Amino acid sequence: MKSQSDILRLAPFEAVIFDMDGTLLDTESVFKTIVFEVCTELGFEMTDAVHMSMVGGSHENTNRLLLESYGVSFPYTLFDERCRVIMRERSHGGVPVKPGALELVRELNERKIPTAVATSSRNPHAQHHLTAAGLFDLFETIVTRDDVVNPKPHPEPYLTAARRLGVDPLKCLALEDSHAGVRAAHAAGMQTVMVPDLVHPSEEIRALGIAVMESLDHVRLAAFDRH
């Protein structure tokens, strides 16, 4: 496990694949508030533990978790719809990006290093949010839940992104904020960096040998020689 202080340089890479929510976009804290509000509205009590287990997961995983936590009477379809509507309303004026995101993506573009997004979100949500954040046109390809059979933590989203970019997965850098995403990228054989947002690395995640960095600014500094 490499810590921030001793990871001065990342290994060379030929492409970079980003997770979206919580990695590129500063949306997880907004979504957390919405999840708690909607659960209360529907007569259920959301907890930090249940919410944390949802972060970075797919639609199917969230559905399963909520039914396990609250029973089969939990109205998942209604919950999902209400969360989407409120999220869209609150992102109407734009979607905030994580510190260093724009600078890193622009530098990669300038250096002609191909980039992609691999997200558990569905295509309409991903397109809307990346467009609202001013990032949509900066990526060669965007892999969403609609493009794969197996969502994260399965490696398929990352392997699909690498295939679309025409780059060997072993030569890709993957940037993630969630445990499910880290597992997916690591299983795809990629050099994986976790940039924690709401969730911090567990011992199990640290045991994978991934790098953990404070922000995308730190990733940019570790990626390129400034001399």
Side-chain angles (χ1 to χ4, degrees), residues 163-202:
R163 187 177 70 250
R164 288 184 182 179
L165 293 176
V167 178
D168 183 336
L170 299 179
K171 295 176 181 175
C172 292
L173 171 66
L175 303 175
E176 270 286 354
D177 72 298
S178 74
H179 292 184
V182 165
R183 290 189 190 102
H186 184 266
M190 298 185 179
Q191 179 178 194
T192 306
V193 175
M194 183 177 184
V195 184
D197 183 39
L198 298 184
V199 178
H200 293 279
S202 63

Side-chain angles (χ1 to χ4, degrees), residues 88-167:
R88 190 166 281 252
E89 286 170 357
R90 293 188 187 173
S91 62
H92 186 66
V95 172
V97 298
K98 295 289 286 184
L102 196 54
E103 293 83 355
L104 176 55
V105 176
R106 281 181 174 159
E107 180 158 356
L108 291 166
N109 284 182
E110 286 165 8
R111 290 173 178 266
K112 310 293 187 201
I113 296 171
T115 57
V117 172
T119 176
S120 295
S121 295
R122 288 167 169 172
N123 193 51
H125 172 90
Q127 284 207 25
H128 175 268
H129 274 55
L130 288 169
T131 301
L135 295 174
F136 185 77
D137 295 328
L138 299 179
F139 297 96
E140 272 87 334
T141 189
I142 295 164
V143 177
T144 71
R145 176 64 190 92
D146 299 319
D147 299 310
V148 297
V149 175
N150 303 294
K152 300 174 188 178
H154 193 281
E156 187 182 349
Y158 277 99
L159 294 174
T160 301
R163 187 177 70 250
R164 288 184 182 179
L165 293 176
V167 178

Side-chain angles (χ1 to χ4, degrees), residues 2-226:
K2 298 167 186 167
S3 70
Q4 179 108 16
S5 58
D6 58 23
I7 179 155
L8 302 175
R9 282 277 163 265
L10 289 170
F13 53 85
E14 295 179 8
V16 182
I17 303 172
F18 293 80
D19 169 56
M20 188 177 75
D21 291 299
T23 301
L24 279 171
L25 306 182
D26 198 5
T27 44
E28 289 290 12
S29 57
V30 177
F31 192 64
K32 177 180 180 178
T33 302
I34 293 169
V35 164
F36 273 74
E37 287 175 8
V38 173
C39 271
T40 300
E41 183 184 302
L42 296 174
F44 295 86
E45 185 181 355
M46 177 54 62
T47 66
D48 283 330
V50 172
H51 169 259
M52 286 297 185
S53 64
M54 290 166 53
V55 173
S58 64
H59 165 76
E60 295 91 340
N61 185 58
T62 299
N63 187 358
R64 180 182 58 75
L65 277 168
L66 291 174
L67 291 180
E68 284 176 0
S69 300
Y70 300 108
V72 292
S73 64
F74 187 85
Y76 180 76
T77 303
L78 180 57
F79 166 82
D80 186 54
E81 184 183 317
R82 286 290 295 140
C83 286
R84 287 175 194 281
V85 168
I86 297 170
M87 190 70 179
R88 190 166 281 252
E89 286 170 357
R90 293 188 187 173
S91 62
H92 186 66
V95 172
V97 298
K98 295 289 286 184
L102 196 54
E103 293 83 355
L104 176 55
V105 176
R106 281 181 174 159
E107 180 158 356
L108 291 166
N109 284 182
E110 286 165 8
R111 290 173 178 266
K112 310 293 187 201
I113 296 171
T115 57
V117 172
T119 176
S120 295
S121 295
R122 288 167 169 172
N123 193 51
H125 172 90
Q127 284 207 25
H128 175 268
H129 274 55
L130 288 169
T131 301
L135 295 174
F136 185 77
D137 295 328
L138 299 179
F139 297 96
E140 272 87 334
T141 189
I142 295 164
V143 177
T144 71
R145 176 64 190 92
D146 299 319
D147 299 310
V148 297
V149 175
N150 303 294
K152 300 174 188 178
H154 193 281
E156 187 182 349
Y158 277 99
L159 294 174
T160 301
R163 187 177 70 250
R164 288 184 182 179
L165 293 176
V167 178
D168 183 336
L170 299 179
K171 295 176 181 175
C172 292
L173 171 66
L175 303 175
E176 270 286 354
D177 72 298
S178 74
H179 292 184
V182 165
R183 290 189 190 102
H186 184 266
M190 298 185 179
Q191 179 178 194
T192 306
V193 175
M194 183 177 184
V195 184
D197 183 39
L198 298 184
V199 178
H200 293 279
S202 63
E203 287 309 308
E204 177 200 352
I205 292 297
R206 288 181 183 278
L208 296 178
I210 60 159
V212 180
M213 295 193 188
E214 203 174 300
S215 72
L216 293 178
D217 282 321
H218 289 85
V219 173
R220 189 161 60 97
L221 291 172
F224 305 119
D225 190 345
R226 298 293 165 186

